[in-house]
Amino acid sequence: MFASVDPVILARIQFAANITFHILFPTISISLAWVLLFFKLRYNKTGDESWMDAYRVWVKIFALTFALGVVSGITMSFQFGTNWPGYMETVGNIAGPLLAYEVLTAFFLEATFLGIMLFGMRRVGNRMHTIATLLVAGGTTLSAFWILALNSWMQTPAGFEMIDGRAHVISWLEVIFNPSFPYRLVHMLLASGLTVAFLLAGISAYRWLRGDRTREVMHSLRTGVTLAALLIPLQIVAGDLHGLNTLHHQPAKIAAMEGIWKTEKGAPAVLFGLPNAATQSNDFEIAIPKLASIYLTHKADGEIKGIDAFGDRHPPVAPLFFAFRIMVGVGLLMLAVSWLGTWQIRRQGAPSPWLARVLVAMTFSGWIALVAGWYVTEIGRQPYLVYGVLTTAQAASKVPAAMIGSTLAMYLSLYLALIVAYISVVFHLARKAGKTDASGPAVGTPQAIIGQPRSAQ
């Protein structure tokens, strides 16, 4: 069935499937660890047991997420040798150490203190348990630091020279802090925070709709909605700065994202269209004149290079065009829902039933925006694997298409089953927490107001 398909295309699809599945889980674990630290610090400060109840519920979800992230990361790393041997042969002197740093400094830190964080609540002192939570949170962020340093270097390579067809480091500082790294790191960490914010809000709203109105649920709900409301404006600013950086270093990617086929001054912002590679235009285009030039160059008549400026060295337009709009569209929806939710909860003390249903529907909306943005990043680098240095075709293996296709089918089946299982278990834990919650009476009852210490009210 796969014999007639280009093996390079199949290898790319297989790696895309692996990275798509893998990135879902570190994205949650990175920021969820910091949310758990926040819950723990609130408990330490107030003595309010409901904050610790929130910690106990969400640390289970963190453990599940962390486990799937580790397992999926292992299978992804195998493909460097099986499907992309040319990658390590050419840039292994850079990629190898960066991946090793991630394991030695971040993964070991997380793995060492994760056991204390998960099982040490009653076995070590409160201070030690808080420190363990802090170190696990720091480890997750340090892991993101190294992985994004490598990925950013592949987008904007710096600090190296090619000798006999292989990359050799001249400056590790320039390799790590390459031109796109600061923007990419901030953008990714904010995306992680937003993903967790809507996960918190969605699961808490689900419990609230089921009649669980305890203080612990409201703590989690307020934390999620408020965190989203604070982070989404920052993400919009970071995204704009990242776009300007990409325009400077990868203008072909911007041209594909914006659907700009011809180099022009005063380029319009295409709101909708169907990219047509045959006619080098967008069918059914709806655009705002000069707006793309305004937000990309900050000049109404600023020149934007089109696809025509790059010959055959440009990414496919349609995937980037639609993925970018999905990312932006979900981001704007997050902005509206989080701000409305914050206003409503501050005013009424609780969400309205319709808002709670919207939050439940958006529980995993961060995943949608994240995957769309990651596709923009990775597909936008094509036809290069390392931008301007190594093409995807040059790095590909000689594995037959039939073999790649069979393992691809296996991966897709397994990943679909695991994602369904993960989501099911998360909601199962939410239902179980609602039945076994011991944080006290519901918010607003006389017992809740009278029975809690002043520091907890």
Side-chain angles (χ1 to χ4, degrees), residues 131-256:
I131 292 173
T133 304
L134 170 63
L135 292 175
V136 170
T140 61
T141 305
L142 190 58
S143 177
F145 176 93
W146 290 114
I147 295 301
L148 286 168
L150 174 56
N151 183 266
S152 298
W153 182 84
M154 292 166 65
Q155 304 281 344
T156 53
F160 74 104
E161 63 179 353
M162 298 298 294
I163 302 175
D164 297 329
R166 295 186 178 183
H168 293 265
V169 175
I170 297 176
S171 169
W172 276 111
L173 282 177
E174 291 182 19
V175 167
I176 296 170
F177 298 98
N178 57 80
S180 67
F181 172 68
Y183 304 95
R184 223 171 280 278
L185 178 65
V186 171
H187 199 52
M188 184 63 192
L189 292 179
L190 289 172
S192 172
L194 284 166
T195 301
V196 169
F198 276 90
L199 179 66
L200 277 169
I203 295 299
S204 302
Y206 174 74
R207 294 176 62 187
W208 189 86
L209 287 171
R210 289 175 58 86
D212 186 358
R213 310 293 172 85
T214 52
R215 295 175 62 83
E216 175 253 309
V217 171
M218 290 308 301
H219 286 330
S220 298
L221 181 58
R222 286 195 187 95
T223 299
V225 172
T226 303
L227 183 63
L230 292 174
L231 293 184
I232 191 65
L234 298 177
Q235 183 69 304
I236 292 172
V237 174
D240 178 64
L241 294 174
H242 189 191
L244 295 176
N245 177 265
T246 304
L247 177 65
H248 179 72
H249 294 282
Q250 295 175 301
K253 181 186 292 187
I254 291 293

Side-chain angles (χ1 to χ4, degrees), residues 317-443:
V317 176
L320 268 69
F321 183 86
F322 290 116
F324 178 67
R325 277 148 188 78
I326 290 172
M327 178 185 69
V328 172
V330 174
L332 293 176
L333 182 60
M334 287 178 166
L335 176 67
V337 172
S338 62
W339 281 20
L340 178 61
T342 301
W343 174 80
Q344 193 175 95
I345 291 174
R346 286 178 65 88
R347 184 178 181 183
Q348 302 175 7
S352 62
W354 69 265
L355 176 62
R357 293 187 184 95
V358 171
L359 289 172
V360 173
M362 294 185 65
T363 300
F364 293 98
S365 58
W367 276 0
I368 298 173
L370 173 81
V371 170
W374 199 251
Y375 283 0
V376 169
T377 295
E378 297 302 287
I379 299 175
R381 190 178 55 221
Q382 296 301 317
Y384 294 103
L385 198 57
V386 178
Y387 198 77
V389 176
L390 178 69
T391 67
T392 303
Q394 290 171 337
S397 69
K398 304 298 182 182
V399 177
M403 183 174 294
I404 299 175
S406 61
T407 54
L408 172 60
M410 180 188 68
Y411 278 131
L412 291 176
S413 301
L414 178 61
Y415 289 162
L416 178 61
L418 286 174
I419 288 176
V420 171
Y422 175 83
I423 295 174
S424 299
V425 171
V426 167
F427 279 97
H428 169 74
L429 290 173
R431 291 191 296 272
K432 184 179 178 182
K435 293 178 182 178
T436 61
D437 188 275
S439 61
V443 176

